[in-house]
């Protein structure tokens, strides 16, 4: 891309049919967006949608639980778009199960996607952000990272680890101009998986992906004299 036409770069890690796609569409209004996930067909279709609307997007296929995939993904992003200025880490596994229902492999893979992948992705983007003296990293959290249900034996610890990483990074990086935030998504996101698993939920019981994406946009563009680190989003009907 010509330097004069260059857009700032946003990487969305974990682009599915819900929040990930909504984040990509929102940030594509002003950013060149890297769409990172495993689903090749869906990523390609979303990239074409964004491009047809006048934006800039590239699909990047990666399993974020694998260090080599993360390295390859960010090499491609830097080569085709440039250094990442906003990292939105939205990748997650959401298994349901109590302690004795949860396989060790499920526990490990959930942690790898939520926490290890976030750690690796952050290491890929932070050096350039430090050099530039600015940048934003936002993690998609959940109430399981604050107060998990008994059926979150894998998901809860993974989100606790992500939240801890976000706090460590904020203390380390914010004095250098890098804004780090953790969004506690307190409720079910309106997407096909949730509607299939919980058919009793109405639209008012769930968070709209596009509405959550507006919160991320706001966080990514806060004045640094008044940065937020943790922010809750929940449906107006949610009990908490």
């Amino acid at each position: 891309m010509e330097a004069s036409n260059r857009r700032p770069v946003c990487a969305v890690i974990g682009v599915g049919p819900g929040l990930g796609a909504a984040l990509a569409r929102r940030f594509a209004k002003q950013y060149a967006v890297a769409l990172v996930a495993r689903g090749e067909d869906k990523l390609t279709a979303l990239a074409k949608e964004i491009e047809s609307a006048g934006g800039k997007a590239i699909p990047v296929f990666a399993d974020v639980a694998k260090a080599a995939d993360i390295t390859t993904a960010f090499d491609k992003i830097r080569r085709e778009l440039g250094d990442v200025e906003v990292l939105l880490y939205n990748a997650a596994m959401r298994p349901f199960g109590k302690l004795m229902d949860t396989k060790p492999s499920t526990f490990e893979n959930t942690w790898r996607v939520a926490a290890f992948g976030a750690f690796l992705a952050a290491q890929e983007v932070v050096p350039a952000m430090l050099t530039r003296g600015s940048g934003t990293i936002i993690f998609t959290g959940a109430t399981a990272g604050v107060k998990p249900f008994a059926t979150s034996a894998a998901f809860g610890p993974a989100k606790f680890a992500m939240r801890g990483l976000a706090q460590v990074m904020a203390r380390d990086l914010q004095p250098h101009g890098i804004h780090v935030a953790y969004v506690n998504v307190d409720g079910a996101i309106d997407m096909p998986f949730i509607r299939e698993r919980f058919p009793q939920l109405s639209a008012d019981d769930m968070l709209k992906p596009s509405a959550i994406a507006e919160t991320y946009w706001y966080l990514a563009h806060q004045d640094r004299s008044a940065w937020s680190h943790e922010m809750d989003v929940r449906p107006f009907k949610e009990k908490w």
Side-chain angles (χ1 to χ4, degrees):
M1 190 181 300
E2 294 293 335
S4 59
N5 297 323
R6 182 186 177 277
R7 294 186 178 197
V9 179
C10 172
V12 184
I13 313 297
V15 178
L19 179 55
L23 291 170
R25 292 186 181 103
R26 181 62 182 91
F27 278 77
K29 293 181 180 181
Q30 293 188 24
Y31 288 77
V33 179
L35 314 173
V36 184
R38 291 185 299 176
E40 182 173 347
D41 293 341
K42 292 179 180 179
L43 285 188
T44 300
L46 181 57
K48 289 181 178 178
E49 174 194 323
I50 289 171
E51 294 269 350
S52 67
K56 175 66 178 178
I58 61 169
V60 182
F61 314 121
D63 180 345
V64 298
K66 298 178 179 178
D69 278 24
I70 290 282
T71 299
T72 300
F74 279 93
D75 284 346
K76 178 177 179 178
I77 294 168
R78 284 187 289 264
R79 183 173 63 252
E80 298 189 18
L81 298 178
D83 289 325
V84 173
E85 296 176 44
V86 174
L87 172 66
L88 307 179
Y89 195 87
N90 183 61
M93 287 179 61
R94 182 54 176 107
F96 293 88
K98 296 181 180 180
L99 176 69
M100 299 309 298
D101 304 323
T102 302
K103 296 178 181 179
S105 59
T106 300
F107 186 93
E108 180 179 357
N109 289 336
T110 305
W111 168 80
R112 281 185 171 277
V113 171
F116 186 54
F119 166 80
L120 294 172
Q123 285 197 328
E124 289 286 343
V125 303
V126 162
M129 290 181 177
L130 287 171
T131 299
R132 193 171 55 247
S134 66
T136 300
I137 300 171
I138 303 177
F139 297 106
T140 298
T143 302
V146 181
K147 186 178 65 175
F149 290 113
T151 53
S152 293
F155 187 59
K159 286 298 185 182
F160 263 86
M162 173 188 276
R163 186 175 175 224
L165 175 65
Q167 291 186 12
V168 167
M169 288 172 52
R171 290 175 181 271
D172 174 23
L173 301 173
Q174 289 194 170
H176 300 284
I178 302 171
H179 185 189
V180 181
Y182 175 91
V183 179
N184 175 14
V185 180
D186 185 18
I189 299 175
D190 190 355
M191 56 184 179
F193 162 71
I194 295 297
R195 285 185 175 269
E196 290 174 10
R197 185 173 179 85
F198 304 103
Q200 73 277 15
L201 295 179
S202 70
D204 279 347
D205 294 320
M206 297 180 283
L207 297 101
K208 295 179 181 178
S210 60
I212 306 173
E214 289 296 334
T215 298
Y216 280 64
W217 180 266
Y218 163 74
L219 278 172
H221 300 91
Q222 283 182 315
D223 188 277
R224 67 179 186 174
S225 70
W227 274 349
S228 300
H229 173 63
E230 289 197 355
M231 183 171 288
D232 295 338
V233 290
R234 61 178 59 87
F236 72 98
K237 294 175 64 178
E238 185 77 14
K239 295 179 181 179
W240 57 289

